[in-house]
Amino acid sequence: MDEKNPEEFYKKLREQLTETTKWPSNYLYKFIVETATDKIAKIEGIFDNMGAVIDLKKSKNGKYTSVSITVNLKGPDQVIEKYKEVGEIGGVISL
């Protein structure tokens, strides 16, 4: 994500998602977080009660965890809303 101009990033993302995806659709989020924190639980909480499929995979040395989340969403605005919610958790890298 463009840290300097997040609104421009989200505008471009919304355009791409509108052009390339028929909604509602499954969307795959990928995040990287430090393993020894409560951040994984916070991310899981954001997608709680949405029917999300969450896959966790620790790095080779176990310091980081990859969090992959597949969830069915209604449209690009819902995708962006979730990115913004996760973005409020410090130290999470969005891929």
Side-chain angles (χ1 to χ4, degrees), residues 20-47:
T20 62
T21 308
K22 183 179 177 185
W23 298 97
S25 181
N26 284 341
Y27 187 81
L28 174 64
Y29 292 91
K30 289 193 172 214
F31 306 105
I32 303 289
V33 296
E34 288 185 52
T35 300
T37 64
D38 64 345
K39 294 174 185 175
I40 294 170
K42 288 180 181 178
I43 292 170
E44 289 175 334
I46 290 171
F47 293 91

Side-chain angles (χ1 to χ4, degrees), residues 3 24 38 57 60-61 64 68 81 89 92 94-95:
E3 298 289 328
D38 64 345
K57 185 176 180 184
K60 187 175 176 181
N61 64 7
Y64 295 97
S68 299
E81 176 186 321
I89 303 169
V92 175
S94 298
L95 302 178

Side-chain angles (χ1 to χ4, degrees), residues 1-15:
M1 176 182 6
D2 185 354
E3 298 289 328
K4 297 173 191 148
N5 194 347
E7 288 308 313
E8 186 64 28
F9 169 80
Y10 289 127
K11 181 181 174 186
K12 286 182 182 179
L13 178 61
R14 180 178 289 112
E15 289 171 5

